[in-house]
Amino acid sequence: MGFNQLKMRRRYHRIREILTVFFNEGFEVFLKEAELHRFITWGDRLRNRLQKREDAINAPEKLRIAFEKLGPTFIKFGQILSLRPDFLTSEYIREMEKLQDKVPPFPWEKAKEIIERELKGKVNEIFAEFNTTPIASASISQVYTAKTKKGEKVAVKVQRPETEQMREDMEIMLWLAKWMQKKSERVSKYRLVSIVEDFKRWTELELNFRYEAANAKVLAANFKGDKDVFIPAVYGALTTSKVLTLGFVEGRPLHEITSLDDHNKARKILGLTYRSMMQMVYRDGFFHADPHAGNIFFTNSGKIAYVDFGIVGRFDEKLRSNSLKIFSGLLEDDLDKVINS
């Protein structure tokens, strides 16, 4: 979506704030190439020159720091970039991975207000118990534990109050990406616009928790009867576009697998993770598309559990068939089969 002059004036201060952060973190060359340095005030330029110092901070670390300073939208963007080795080098990937736990929690009073408005009742009337300390704080939401009136333990995901600002930030990011790709040769080779467009499309879907609930139901149906894979149940009566209530996963995130003393159990868990991913892609054609180690859990009983279903992918029958033929051709050293597929 393009910016008209009214939108530009209304969002001018946020654009300048974003560009000033990147300027202060050492990306002035890119801004000058893209003719965006005019947004930087003389005061900020002078202050930057006076504070300029030699240090050991490299470009990937500076980019990560800039994203942290700019808040949830940019932190979320960095998290998505951490899953794109086709776009970033390993040095940048490592820095973007550090953003997984960099979103500060918002106050319980705000979360309570959202829950009560969305579910149309008082928290203590809707739930038998509710722990007001969040167990996770992410770029789009915050997660709490609670018990339903029937005594079932659940995870209650509450959307952050800054989501309107996130939507505006995404519009600004897309405008900046288009401008920079047009004006800067250095930026144009990175396909920045397509990356931001993908990010914007998926994040807008994630901002509607009913979409995530629907994805969870599809995955649960696909793994129905599987003794090794657990997809938490959706509590429809306690779910809206801004509040999502799921069955609680009793387990530990996959990145903690290195702490297991039982190496056979660790190998089994990794094997189940691989098997479940292959099943999602090649059997079901519907898969969890944000499978970082914080979204996959292993339980004490050795099961694999998935959480956070805001981003999914689809792999139609033709793509599945052709990709399997490619793998088969590689294994059989059949170049014609690979090329034809």
Side-chain angles (χ1 to χ4, degrees):
M1 182 186 293
F3 274 47
N4 58 35
Q5 288 187 347
L6 178 62
K7 284 183 178 179
M8 280 291 290
R9 283 198 297 270
R10 194 168 57 212
R11 296 172 180 173
Y12 175 83
H13 293 294
R14 180 57 174 164
I15 293 171
R16 192 174 72 180
E17 179 185 1
I18 291 167
L19 295 176
T20 300
V21 167
F22 284 115
F23 178 81
N24 289 336
E25 290 305 323
F27 295 98
E28 61 264 37
V29 173
F30 289 94
L31 300 186
K32 285 179 181 177
E33 282 184 3
E35 300 173 16
L36 288 166
H37 59 289
R38 66 180 186 273
F39 282 93
I40 312 302
T41 65
W42 284 107
D44 285 323
R45 294 184 199 192
L46 180 60
R47 196 177 302 112
N48 182 267
R49 285 180 179 276
L50 292 173
Q51 292 177 349
K52 204 103 175 160
R53 59 186 173 83
E54 291 296 325
D55 55 35
I57 297 179
N58 55 28
E61 189 174 354
K62 286 178 179 178
L63 185 61
R64 189 254 303 162
I65 291 169
F67 284 172
E68 286 176 4
K69 288 181 177 179
L70 289 169
T73 316
F74 286 83
I75 290 172
K76 177 70 176 175
F77 186 54
Q79 291 170 352
I80 295 294
L81 290 180
S82 74
L83 302 171
R84 296 294 302 265
D86 60 317
F87 181 67
L88 291 181
T89 63
S90 58
E91 291 80 11
Y92 279 93
I93 294 288
R94 282 195 294 271
E95 284 300 321
M96 296 303 103
E97 286 174 344
K98 294 177 184 178
L99 293 169
Q100 296 294 349
D101 57 357
K102 286 293 184 180
V103 186
F106 60 91
W108 159 244
E109 289 72 23
K110 291 275 189 186
K112 182 183 178 185
E113 181 184 321
I114 294 167
I115 294 168
E116 293 184 342
R117 183 178 68 243
E118 290 292 311
L119 300 184
K120 297 178 171 53
K122 299 293 184 183
V123 169
N124 59 1
E125 295 171 354
I126 298 167
F127 297 93
E129 294 178 21
F130 203 103
N131 184 351
T132 60
T133 302
I135 59 169
S137 181
S139 51
I140 284 178
S141 61
Q142 205 151 275
V143 182
Y144 298 86
T145 56
K147 281 191 177 178
T148 66
K149 289 294 186 180
K150 292 182 179 180
E152 299 160 315
K153 190 173 182 181
V154 292
V156 183
K157 188 173 180 178
V158 184
Q159 195 169 110
R160 298 186 75 90
E162 311 100 320
T163 52
E164 286 310 309
Q165 180 62 59
M166 289 185 73
R167 286 187 171 93
E168 289 222 344
D169 278 353
M170 288 189 291
E171 292 287 353
I172 291 169
M173 287 171 73
L174 185 55
W175 177 78
L176 288 172
K178 287 178 177 178
W179 181 272
M180 293 182 76
Q181 191 157 303
K182 179 181 175 183
K183 295 287 185 177
S184 171
E185 259 187 60
R186 196 190 310 227
V187 172
S188 63
K189 65 181 180 181
Y190 287 109
R191 310 187 320 279
L192 188 58
V193 171
S194 65
I195 296 289
V196 175
E197 284 176 338
D198 282 347
F199 167 69
K200 183 174 180 289
R201 183 174 68 254
W202 282 112
T203 303
E204 284 174 344
L205 287 172
E206 283 191 87
L207 290 173
N208 183 348
F209 286 172
R210 286 195 176 95
Y211 173 78
E212 182 173 348
N215 292 337
K217 288 177 182 178
V218 172
L219 286 170
N222 289 344
F223 282 104
K224 187 177 180 181
D226 194 311
K227 296 178 181 178
D228 297 315
V229 180
F230 176 72
I231 307 294
V234 175
Y235 288 72
L238 300 174
T239 293
T240 71
S241 62
K242 294 181 184 294
V243 175
L244 173 62
T245 305
L246 298 167
F248 187 76
V249 174
E250 298 279 2
R252 295 156 66 188
L254 192 61
H255 59 70
E256 292 186 17
I257 198 169
T258 53
S259 65
L260 285 179
D261 294 328
D262 188 339
H263 292 171
N264 287 330
K265 184 178 180 180
R267 280 194 291 269
K268 181 186 175 185
I269 289 167
L270 290 174
L272 289 175
T273 304
Y274 178 77
R275 190 267 290 174
S276 64
M277 287 183 175
M278 292 300 100
Q279 177 178 318
M280 282 189 275
V281 175
Y282 290 108
R283 190 194 74 176
D284 304 326
F286 184 89
F287 57 93
H288 193 303
D290 189 15
H292 63 73
N295 283 342
I296 306 171
F297 285 70
F298 61 94
T299 67
N300 291 334
S301 60
K303 287 186 178 183
I304 287 296
Y306 286 87
V307 299
D308 198 349
F309 310 102
I311 304 179
V312 295
R314 290 170 176 81
F315 211 44
D316 65 32
E317 192 171 342
K318 184 178 180 181
L319 280 172
R320 275 179 275 165
S321 174
N322 283 341
S323 61
L324 288 171
K325 286 176 183 175
I326 289 171
F327 291 143
S328 173
L330 289 170
L331 290 171
E332 296 167 4
D333 200 20
D334 187 340
L335 188 58
D336 288 335
K337 189 174 184 180
V338 172
I339 292 170
N340 291 333
S341 300

